[in-house]
């Protein structure tokens, strides 16, 4: 099984035989990979009925749960890694969820789209309209992405909460890295993958 | 006849009776010297007896879960889910469905003759608890040579049995499916049961539970009990949709006869129930519900209690179920997660209230079906 390249970066950060919690686990591709290749014990939280069925078919532990209700199913420090891909910007309170992730897990791996990407900045500056693109295809009024931020914003939040950024990989929309992106991530990077801890 | 033209029905079913002469000591301390269990089975038990699924019934349920009894027009209570190609696929599974001890559909219970007196047990029938049911079901499994169930499945009180199985005989089941259930009753649940019991016991025809000897039936009490219970199975929305404020006639009658359709419906349900169900069994079943609290033996720590389990779990709840709300199912899910158990949980959007677990709601069927396919795949059935 080949993984989407961002998921491949994430799986490389997960220790074998560790406990993993995936917030918004979708059809369970990442968890399935971690189960097969790293023998991880995992739970996935998901809200989409079809995705839940896909997870059941893959033999995964999937719990129907709205992330906006927090992670009360899980006790403090009960898992090693809490993963959330492309959902931070869509929850009611990203700051509270981030705290909850690090209450439950020793580490958190988070990916989200960068609102500071140069095309996004240019779109707003030249067109005077809320940016839309392949990674952000929604109108301002129907977008699930209600809390867009830039990498700098996210890192500021981490600093304010006293969280440590252990790893950061910034990529373009095809999840590729480059020297230019590494040099000016907040301008040239489209998606960031962060590994943080308390 | 419906059974002949329905390709996905298990067809005409004849119940069987198993007689047990080894005494069964109940949790209450009382002993049943001998007893009978009536059961049905659907599908074929495979050579290594690894494809058996046990269906546990709810308060007013019984062993007739699928197919048709000779001459009947209506199928068993869970025919929507049990049959060839259905969620609990009888082409794959050998499905066993038992009437619980203390029931009134053929297993030994209050209507059975007490060998010591030659009269029906009535209220002398000892109280049974969920643990006793699991014990008696395990004995039936022994009798049939089933060492380990592929799955034990139940809704409501049946879900409690499926949960109890997982800790009482952890080595005897691979999967436990707990639908629209709870780890114990709330004060409100117990209160509803007490109102129902009070209605039955205060009926002048109750005669301290020995109404059969007097050729009487506490019909009014049983009817009231059922009317009350029945409305706790429905949601406000479901009742609104089904009846609204529809009336039987065109104008109000300024009397106390049932005028609204919902009143007629409840009277009909109560009436029907009171002629087919035994009042003592009703009392006994509600008590078994009230007493159910497996965590009490583990310092009221449900996670510690469920730590005994080795099977995998599917837990399902329904959004408008207010008898055993999704939050009650989530107590089970939380404890299973805390105990590091394999668990899948689905919270099904439905306006049908508690009764939703009996209804083939597409989303429910999809996730339940996917889970049962996983059981088939996992156990190579």
């Amino acid at each position: 099984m080949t993984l989407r390249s961002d998921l491949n970066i994430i799986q490389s950060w997960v220790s074998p035989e560790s406990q993993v919690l995936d917030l918004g686990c979708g059809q369970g591709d990442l968890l399935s990979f971690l189960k097969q290749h790293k023998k991880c014990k995992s739970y996935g939280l998901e809200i989409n009925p079809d995705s839940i069925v896909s997870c059941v078919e893959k033999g995964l532990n999937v719990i129907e749960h709205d992330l906006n209700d927090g992670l009360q199913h899980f006790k403090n420090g009960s898992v090693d890694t809490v993963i959330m891909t492309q959902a931070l910007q869509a929850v009611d309170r990203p700051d509270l969820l981030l705290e909850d992730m690090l209450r439950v897990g020793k580490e958190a791996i988070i990916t989200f789209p960068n609102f500071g990407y140069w095309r996004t900045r240019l779109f707003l500056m030249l067109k005077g309209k809320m940016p839309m693109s392949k990674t952000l295809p929604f109108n301002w009024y129907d977008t699930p992405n209600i809390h867009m931020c830039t990498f700098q914003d996210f890192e500021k939040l981490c600093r304010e909460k006293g969280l440590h950024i252990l790893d950061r990989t910034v990529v373009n929309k095809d999840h590729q890295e480059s020297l230019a992106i590494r040099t000016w991530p907040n301008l040239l990077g489209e998606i960031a993958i962060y590994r943080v801890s308390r | 006849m419906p059974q002949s033209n329905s390709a996905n029905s298990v067809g005409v079913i004849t119940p069987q009776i198993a007689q047990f002469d080894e005494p069964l000591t109940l949790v209450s301390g009382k002993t049943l010297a001998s007893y009978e269990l009536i059961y049905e089975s659907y599908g074929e038990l495979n050579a290594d007896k690894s494809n058996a699924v046990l269906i546990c019934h709810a308060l007013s349920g019984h062993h007739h879960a699928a197919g048709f009894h000779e001459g009947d027009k209506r199928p068993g209570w869970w025919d929507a889910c049990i049959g060839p190609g259905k969620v609990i696929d009888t082409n794959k599974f050998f499905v066993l469905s038992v009437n619980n001890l203390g029931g009134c559909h053929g297993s030994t219970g209050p209507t059975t003759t007490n060998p010591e007196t030659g009269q029906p047990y009535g209220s002398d029938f000892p109280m049974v608890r969920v643990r006793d049911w699991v014990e008696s079901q395990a004995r039936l499994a022994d009798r049939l040579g089933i060492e380990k169930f592929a799955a034990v499945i139940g809704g409501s009180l049946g879900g409690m049995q499926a949960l109890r199985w997982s800790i009482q005989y952890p080595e005897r089941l691979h999967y436990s499916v707990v639908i629209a259930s709870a780890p114990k009753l709330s004060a409100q649940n117990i209160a509803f049961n007490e109102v129902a019991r009070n209605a039955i016991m205060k009926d002048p025809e109750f005669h301290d539970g020995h109404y059969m000897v007097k050729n009487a039936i506490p019909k009014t009490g049983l009817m009231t009990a059922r009317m009350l219970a029945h409305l706790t199975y429905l949601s406000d929305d479901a009742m609104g949709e089904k009846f609204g404020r529809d009336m039987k006639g065109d104008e109000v009658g300024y009397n106390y006869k049932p005028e609204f359709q919902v009143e007629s419906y409840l009277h009909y349900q109560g009436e029907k129930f009171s002629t087919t169900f035994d009042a003592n069994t009703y009392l006994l079943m509600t008590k078994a519900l009230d007493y159910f609290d497996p965590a009490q033996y583990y310092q009221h720590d449900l996670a510690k209690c469920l730590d005994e389990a080795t099977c995998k779990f599917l837990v399902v709840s329904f959004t408008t179920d207010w008898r055993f709300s999704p939050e009650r199912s989530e107590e089970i899910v939380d404890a299973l997660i805390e105990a590091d158990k394999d668990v899948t949980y689905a919270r099904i959007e439905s306006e049908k209230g508690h009764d939703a677990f009996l209804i083939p709601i597409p989303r429910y069927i999809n996730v339940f079906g996917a889970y049962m396919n996983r059981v088939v795949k996992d156990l190579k059935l």
Side-chain angles (χ1 to χ4, degrees):
Chain A
M1 186 172 74
T2 49
L3 270 183
R4 218 170 67 202
S5 48
D6 56 335
L7 299 184
N8 203 28
I9 294 168
I10 294 169
Q11 71 82 14
S12 72
W13 289 348
V14 175
S15 311
E17 292 173 35
S18 60
Q19 289 254 19
V20 174
L21 170 62
D22 190 352
L23 311 185
C25 63
Q27 303 200 340
D29 291 337
L30 177 65
L31 289 184
S32 198
F33 183 94
L34 291 172
K35 188 180 171 187
Q36 281 175 35
H37 297 269
K38 295 209 163 179
K39 307 216 169 348
C40 289
K41 166 101 188 163
S42 67
Y43 295 99
L45 304 188
E46 184 49 58
I47 200 165
N48 179 288
D50 295 334
S51 296
I52 290 170
V53 168
S54 294
C55 291
V56 170
E57 285 166 351
K58 290 187 174 86
L60 299 168
N61 290 319
V62 58
I63 309 293
E64 180 159 348
H65 184 71
D66 185 345
L67 294 181
N68 288 322
D69 295 337
L71 304 178
Q72 77 273 18
H73 284 297
F74 295 86
K75 295 232 155 169
N76 296 357
S78 54
V79 301
D80 296 304
T81 309
V82 184
I83 300 169
M84 181 164 62
T85 54
Q86 302 288 330
L88 184 77
Q89 74 283 355
V91 298
D92 287 347
R93 285 294 297 269
D95 56 333
L96 299 182
L97 188 57
L98 182 63
E99 264 185 21
D100 223 12
M101 288 171 78
L102 285 167
R103 172 186 65 77
V104 171
K106 295 179 187 81
E107 286 181 12
I109 298 174
I110 298 151
T111 79
F112 60 89
N114 177 25
F115 212 66
Y117 179 56
W118 68 274
R119 280 182 184 275
T120 311
R121 299 191 200 192
L122 208 61
F123 192 108
L124 182 61
M125 192 171 84
L126 295 180
K127 297 199 174 180
K129 292 178 182 170
M130 284 303 280
M132 288 171 72
S133 67
K134 267 191 187 154
T135 28
L136 301 169
F138 303 98
N139 290 297
W140 63 272
Y141 48 83
D142 63 5
T143 180
N145 303 319
I146 52 176
H147 287 293
M148 295 301 305
C149 69
T150 71
F151 299 163
Q152 280 189 23
D153 288 328
F154 180 75
E155 289 180 16
K156 181 166 171 275
L157 177 66
C158 288
R159 275 198 303 278
E160 283 168 7
K161 291 193 176 293
L163 307 179
H164 303 289
I165 294 171
L166 305 173
D167 272 304
R168 185 188 73 174
T169 300
V170 177
V171 293
N172 64 19
K173 68 176 190 304
D174 300 319
H175 305 109
Q176 306 294 324
E177 286 189 82
S178 72
L179 178 64
I181 292 177
R182 275 201 291 276
T183 314
W184 297 287
N186 202 38
L187 190 64
L188 300 183
E190 282 191 84
I191 294 165
I193 311 167
Y194 281 89
R195 187 159 72 106
V196 299
S197 75
R198 250 195 212 289
Chain B
M1 292 296 280
Q3 57 264 45
S4 54
N5 56 21
S6 178
N8 60 357
S9 168
V10 295
V12 177
I13 295 294
T14 310
Q16 299 173 71
I17 290 176
Q19 163 82 29
F20 295 85
D21 294 319
E22 188 194 340
L24 178 67
T25 302
L26 305 166
V27 181
S28 67
K30 296 207 169 139
T31 300
L32 275 176
S34 67
Y35 56 93
E36 288 181 348
L37 292 177
I38 190 167
Y39 66 96
E40 292 183 358
S41 67
Y42 324 107
E44 298 291 324
L45 190 59
N46 61 9
D48 58 359
K49 302 185 174 180
S50 62
N51 69 334
V53 163
L54 176 67
I55 305 296
C56 304
H57 70 71
L59 201 165
S60 58
H62 43 68
H63 55 291
H64 183 38
F68 296 84
H69 284 168
E70 194 64 59
D72 276 3
K73 287 208 170 72
R74 286 173 61 117
W77 57 269
W78 219 10
D79 196 73
C81 285
I82 304 168
K86 292 183 186 172
V87 168
I88 303 166
D89 188 349
T90 49
N91 292 328
K92 304 279 184 194
F93 295 113
F94 170 74
V95 182
L96 185 62
S97 177
V98 194
N99 182 213
N100 285 347
L101 209 53
C104 54
H105 292 89
S107 289
T108 301
T111 56
T112 312
T113 303
N114 181 350
E116 284 177 20
T117 63
Q119 306 274 12
Y121 275 106
S123 53
D124 290 339
F125 192 83
M127 274 197 198
V128 291
R129 295 184 61 165
V130 174
R131 257 200 288 174
D132 300 319
W133 286 334
V134 170
E135 187 59 39
S136 64
Q137 290 158 354
R139 286 189 181 185
L140 179 62
D142 292 342
R143 177 76 55 91
L144 300 173
I146 299 160
E147 275 177 35
K148 189 166 187 172
F149 282 107
V152 177
I153 303 173
S156 193
L157 177 58
M160 293 172 178
Q161 292 162 63
L163 198 65
R164 184 72 228 182
W165 259 95
S166 75
I167 56 168
Q168 193 163 328
Y169 285 110
E171 72 289 353
R172 295 196 71 172
L173 72 164
H174 290 280
Y175 286 87
S176 170
V177 179
V178 181
I179 306 168
S181 195
K184 62 182 178 213
L185 294 205
S186 67
Q188 189 194 46
N189 294 148
I190 295 171
F192 273 116
N193 282 346
E194 177 54 13
V195 176
R197 284 191 293 264
N198 199 54
I200 292 170
M201 294 167 73
K202 291 286 160 64
D203 187 317
E205 299 296 316
F206 183 64
H207 300 291
D208 285 329
H210 293 290
Y211 43 86
M212 281 178 81
V213 188
K214 307 245 177 195
N215 248 333
I217 297 178
K219 197 176 164 185
T220 313
L222 193 54
M223 202 172 149
T224 306
R226 180 58 173 181
M227 285 164 77
L228 174 77
H230 195 86
L231 66 91
T232 70
Y233 303 149
L234 304 174
S235 70
D236 194 11
D237 286 351
M239 289 180 93
E241 193 183 312
K242 196 164 181 174
F243 309 106
R245 292 179 52 81
D246 293 352
M247 300 188 73
K248 290 167 73 182
D250 295 333
E251 287 174 31
V252 297
Y254 297 103
N255 61 49
Y256 296 109
K257 291 176 189 156
E259 289 185 279
F260 289 93
Q261 289 293 1
V262 65
E263 295 175 295
S264 298
Y265 173 78
L266 278 183
H267 279 269
Y268 168 76
Q269 289 294 338
E271 172 77 30
K272 195 172 73 169
F273 190 75
S274 67
T275 55
T276 57
F277 209 85
D278 176 60
N280 282 315
T281 289
Y282 198 85
L283 295 176
L284 177 147
M285 294 274 174
T286 57
K287 266 307 206 197
L289 270 164
D290 290 1
Y291 288 154
F292 182 71
D293 180 11
Q296 72 185 303
Y297 307 104
Y298 299 83
Q299 293 88 46
H300 298 279
D301 183 340
L302 188 60
K304 205 184 264 181
C305 166
L306 291 172
D307 197 38
E308 305 276 353
T310 54
C311 65
K312 296 173 176 165
F313 292 84
L314 171 66
V315 180
V316 181
S317 71
F318 300 91
T319 50
T320 54
D321 182 354
W322 59 280
R323 189 175 174 90
F324 297 138
S325 70
E327 288 71 24
R328 306 307 315 281
S329 285
E330 285 160 24
E331 287 172 34
I332 299 171
V333 174
D334 289 359
L336 287 169
I337 290 173
E338 195 185 331
D340 264 344
K341 302 299 170 189
D342 281 308
V343 53
T344 282
Y345 171 59
R347 178 183 172 126
I348 307 294
E349 192 79 43
S350 156
E351 77 285 1
K352 301 289 186 192
H354 186 58
D355 269 354
F357 84 91
L358 296 166
I359 299 166
I361 299 158
R363 235 215 95 189
Y364 169 40
I365 294 303
N366 282 345
V367 71
F368 189 8
Y371 199 84
M372 293 312 292
N373 282 338
R374 173 172 155 185
V375 176
V376 169
K377 221 165 93 182
D378 185 25
L379 303 179
K380 301 183 176 62
L381 299 177

